Amino acid sequence: MSETAPGHAEHTLEHLRKIGVHNAGGLRTAAERLLASIRADGLVCTAGAGHSLAGVMESFYRAGGLAAVRPLYHPDLLPLHGAVPSTRTERRSGLAEEVLTDAGFRGGVDVLVVFSNSGVNPYPVELARTARAAGSSVIAITSPAASADAPKRAGTTLAEEADIVLDTLVPGGDASYPPTAPVTAPLSSLANAFLWNTLLVELFDLAETEGLELPLWRSSNTVGGDEANAANLEHYGQRVPGLL
């Protein structure tokens, strides 16, 4: 390990601590919106494009994760299916409405969580705008600072369209190292996962206070895990196509 690596690790940990403090109020409000949806037997739809799909993956069918999650996905948005085409796709107007319609998104019942570092492309912006117009809460996990440094390809930003903004505090360009002129070590995926999991903690504590048992996944690689997950699969399997 180089002499600078421990310093960078501490810098990253400090960034995550700062995120937690900065978003304390927003996390509580977001947890309240998620709980209201779960109480109404709604779904938490999660969306992103490019590397923000890592946040969507973290939210879906994961040990310790929330079972009431419907990932919104279009194969053309994934860099593994074509890196440059995936960038073109998230800049394409109209895709968001198509994805929400195909998913059977229920306005006023389902909640939308959108991961996007800059939040300036049409796909995340139109997702938020369409879901809000349908009467649903929209939680953005994004960086207004990154938005300020990026071209506004949708005329506005995800942060401006969302009800609740969980700010990753990631600088424009995403890179974090070296500190004086960063060109590598992107922060957004770490920040997205941290905020999502902190949101789950807030949601769990809120549900426990209200006496509501959350539908959570158990690891299938533990004794009794498959049996514990059976009820969630039965309840959500037909509503979340990716499960079965």
Side-chain angles (χ1 to χ4, degrees):
M1 181 181 291
S2 72
E3 293 181 2
T4 56
H8 176 68
E10 183 55 39
H11 172 74
T12 301
L13 291 172
E14 181 56 33
H15 188 87
L16 296 181
R17 293 186 194 101
K18 190 183 296 184
I19 290 172
V21 172
H22 182 83
N23 290 288
L27 284 162
R28 181 70 177 187
T29 303
E32 290 169 352
R33 302 291 176 89
L34 296 191
L35 189 62
S37 179
I38 293 167
R39 195 185 293 113
D41 199 24
L43 293 175
V44 178
C45 294
T46 58
H51 283 89
S52 292
L53 283 166
V56 178
M57 187 67 186
E58 180 69 15
S59 74
F60 178 60
Y61 191 57
R62 201 211 188 293
L66 186 64
V69 167
R70 166 75 189 259
L72 302 183
Y73 174 70
H74 190 287
D76 292 349
L77 292 166
L78 182 65
L80 292 175
H81 293 166
V84 173
S86 73
T87 297
R88 289 199 296 265
T89 299
E90 66 178 307
R91 295 178 182 179
R92 191 174 85 215
S93 182
L95 180 61
E97 185 172 2
E98 176 187 326
V99 167
L100 286 169
T101 299
D102 288 349
F105 185 81
R106 297 176 298 167
V109 179
D110 296 336
V111 173
L112 178 65
V113 178
V114 184
F115 298 88
S116 179
N117 185 49
S118 65
V120 297
N121 286 317
Y123 181 64
V125 170
E126 292 177 8
L127 279 172
R129 185 182 298 146
T130 303
R132 283 194 69 193
S136 285
S137 294
V138 176
I139 300 163
I141 300 182
T142 187
S143 171
S147 301
D149 280 355
K152 308 291 189 295
R153 296 190 180 91
T156 182
T157 68
L158 172 60
E160 292 172 315
E161 294 291 337
D163 298 285
I164 301 164
V165 175
L166 301 181
D167 190 346
T168 63
L169 302 177
V170 171
D174 206 351
S176 66
Y177 190 83
T180 54
V183 293
T184 191
L187 277 174
S188 63
S189 294
L190 292 171
N192 287 344
F194 177 76
L195 280 170
W196 173 256
N197 283 291
T198 305
L199 178 55
L200 292 183
V201 169
E202 289 282 347
L203 178 61
F204 179 86
D205 287 347
L206 187 60
E208 190 171 53
T209 298
E210 298 192 11
L212 178 67
E213 184 177 355
L214 284 180
L216 297 172
W217 295 113
R218 285 265 303 277
S219 171
S220 58
N221 295 316
T222 58
V223 175
D226 288 341
E227 293 78 6
N229 290 332
N232 286 332
L233 288 170
E234 181 177 358
H235 187 76
Y236 294 108
Q238 298 305 315
R239 296 163 60 194
V240 181
L243 284 175
L244 301 177

